[in-house]
Amino acid sequence: MAMVWQEMKKIFSIRKILYLVVFGLLFFSLFLRPYVQSAMGSYHMEADMVRSFMAQYGARISPEEFQEWKQSRPVYEGSSLDGYIAANEDFGSLGIHSFVDLVHGNKNGFSLEDENRLWWALQEAFPQVNLGEEMERLLPYEIWDYYLAAYEQEALGGGTGQYTGLDQKQQRRVAERNAGEVYGMLPSNVAYYNFEVLRFMGVFLVLALIILVLPYMVAENRSRMPALQYSFRQGRATYWHRLAAVVASCLVMTALVMAVYARIAVRNQVTSFWDCSLSCFSSGFIGWHPWTLGQNILSHLAVVAAFSLGMALAVFVATCHLENYITAIAWLLPAGVGGVVFCGLAMFRFDEITRPKGLALVAGGLMLAAGVTAALVQGGVEGRRDIQVF
């Protein structure tokens, strides 16, 4: 254990920790920040409303409860803006008879020029009114309408969401979903933003593990220590100490990344809907498996962790005898690109019915198996290596 601990201290050097911190901050600012909902707005308003619905009706709403739920929708009370718009011929000629119609301007089919002109006319007529606040006041009613319409289409109408051209296997899965899971409730924005966060957290993890392993192995080879270590029998066990240190360090880094994701998930209220069906009427998603949001997250994290560890082991083996940083980067650049493509593209909404069923799960397992196999085979090679090669 002492040898493993010493190797881990080399892996987590102060310089490398600083590199990882800087890289993490830049990565967060460039990719993750837009999906971390730190301020109140439509995202949290929708999540809070769905939580209130669930507090009243539970995790699922039956068709019988839906009628009661529909009747409980609050009625939008118009303001002086609605009276002005209804009495104005310029608005009426374009089919705009209320503030709601104006907000839905693009859906009414008139041009952007006409829409801008109407907004300016309304602001000039009511300079004391904050139109942004009026639109925010309208938002809860828009959320209500979205959920009621989605339930009628998906749960009552047996819809297929945004999916078209489904084959027989996909249609059977949709029918299975419409028999039970569809009655669940999950904020669409929570599902969408969580998919994006998982995507970028996976990309960061695979890159972070490569950053951990590659410089460590190249620095060790440049030190010429293997020649001395391999000159006696016990020294040949150094490979296994290094391997154990790399695995332990990768697990520590993975745990840190998972902890950051957990913090983001709590901030984004993902944990509030952990047990909600992911393929429900409001999520905008249908998966191959009848998973809850939490089960999908755990599956995603497990596959990404397995793939990243397998990639790190492959990098460990590939850099066993590389002494030049440029050469090592050149050789392993395709591996880094492959890891980014897998975590950023293949794993994005990996269980969706438009994706090959189970392919991402198999790929993650195969990558881990390949990394472990390569490390074990290399261990056997190291045990028989002639020190003259050094």
Side-chain angles (χ1 to χ4, degrees):
M1 281 298 295
M3 289 291 294
V4 174
W5 175 245
Q6 290 299 320
E7 297 300 319
M8 286 185 68
K9 288 198 291 186
K10 295 179 186 178
I11 295 174
F12 284 105
S13 64
I14 299 298
R15 178 182 297 180
K16 195 178 297 180
I17 291 175
L18 291 177
Y19 288 159
L20 285 171
V21 169
V22 172
F23 174 63
L25 292 175
L26 287 174
F27 192 91
F28 178 85
S29 299
L30 292 173
F31 302 107
L32 278 169
R33 183 180 293 276
Y35 302 106
V36 179
Q37 300 302 304
S38 57
M40 293 302 295
S42 60
Y43 180 97
H44 286 291
M45 180 183 292
E46 179 189 3
D48 291 341
M49 288 181 64
V50 173
R51 288 171 60 188
S52 69
F53 296 154
M54 292 172 60
Q56 183 175 359
Y57 297 101
R60 296 189 176 192
I61 296 183
S62 67
E64 295 74 19
E65 292 173 325
F66 171 72
Q67 299 303 323
E68 177 186 347
W69 183 40
K70 186 175 182 180
Q71 294 299 321
S72 66
R73 178 195 182 280
V75 178
Y76 173 70
E77 297 181 1
S79 64
S80 55
L81 297 178
D82 293 275
Y84 173 81
I85 293 174
N88 190 296
E89 294 183 359
D90 193 16
F91 284 83
S93 63
L94 293 173
I96 305 299
H97 304 289
S98 67
F99 185 68
V100 175
D101 293 337
L102 181 60
V103 171
H104 296 162
N106 290 334
K107 298 179 181 179
N108 293 329
F110 54 82
S111 67
L112 180 61
E113 180 181 355
D114 287 332
E115 184 178 3
N116 290 335
R117 177 172 55 82
L118 295 180
W119 278 107
W120 276 111
L122 189 63
Q123 186 65 78
E124 290 177 354
F126 296 89
Q128 75 284 3
V129 175
N130 187 324
L131 297 182
E133 292 181 356
E134 286 295 317
M135 294 180 66
E136 186 175 345
R137 187 174 72 88
L138 181 63
L139 189 57
Y141 304 96
E142 297 287 300
I143 295 174
W144 264 97
D145 290 341
Y146 166 77
Y147 277 83
L148 294 176
Y151 191 96
E152 290 180 337
Q153 176 181 337
E154 299 297 316
L156 301 183
T160 60
Q162 76 273 24
Y163 306 102
T164 57
L166 302 179
D167 59 28
Q168 291 185 353
K169 189 175 181 180
Q170 292 167 331
Q171 289 175 6
R172 285 196 300 270
R173 170 59 191 136
V174 171
E176 177 188 354
R177 168 254 193 180
N178 288 344
E181 300 162 60
V182 71
Y183 299 110
M185 190 179 302
L186 174 67
S188 57
N189 276 333
V190 169
Y192 170 76
Y193 278 65
N194 187 66
F195 284 136
E196 294 290 348
V197 171
L198 285 172
R199 176 215 294 260
F200 290 115
M201 293 302 293
V203 171
F204 177 80
L205 177 60
V206 72
L207 293 178
L209 296 191
I210 291 176
I211 292 173
L212 276 182
V213 176
L214 188 150
Y216 161 70
M217 290 302 296
V218 174
E220 287 294 292
N221 295 330
R222 289 170 65 89
S223 70
R224 303 290 181 175
M225 286 300 293
L228 177 61
Q229 293 164 343
Y230 279 38
S231 63
F232 56 99
R233 184 180 300 276
Q234 188 175 0
R236 290 180 179 267
T238 301
Y239 172 86
W240 299 105
H241 295 147
R242 288 177 178 168
L243 176 60
V246 165
V247 172
S249 300
C250 289
L251 293 178
V252 169
M253 191 67 206
T254 300
L256 291 175
V257 173
M258 299 299 182
V260 173
Y261 168 75
R263 182 67 186 90
I264 294 175
V266 171
R267 190 70 190 92
N268 284 359
Q269 298 199 51
V270 173
T271 52
S272 299
F273 305 97
W274 190 262
D275 295 323
C276 294
S277 172
L278 183 57
S279 298
C280 65
F281 74 89
S282 59
S283 65
F285 177 90
I286 301 178
W288 282 113
H289 299 89
W291 285 341
T292 62
L293 177 62
Q295 290 171 329
N296 180 271
I297 291 172
L298 293 177
S299 299
H300 187 285
L301 294 178
V303 173
V304 168
F307 180 90
S308 299
L309 179 57
M311 180 68 72
L313 291 175
V315 170
F316 171 78
V317 172
T319 54
C320 272
H321 307 293
L322 295 178
E323 299 179 4
N324 184 284
Y325 287 103
I326 302 301
T327 302
I329 292 173
W331 274 97
L332 297 175
L333 184 60
V337 173
V340 170
V341 170
F342 178 80
C343 295
L345 297 179
M347 285 302 297
F348 181 64
R349 302 167 69 102
F350 73 99
D351 192 48
E352 196 166 23
I353 59 172
T354 54
R355 300 293 190 94
K357 184 177 181 180
L359 180 60
L361 302 176
V362 173
L366 288 177
M367 186 68 242
L368 178 60
V372 171
T373 301
L376 295 177
V377 170
Q378 184 65 27
V381 172
E382 295 296 321
R384 299 187 298 271
R385 182 172 294 278
D386 185 352
I387 63 172
Q388 295 300 320
V389 300
F390 298 97

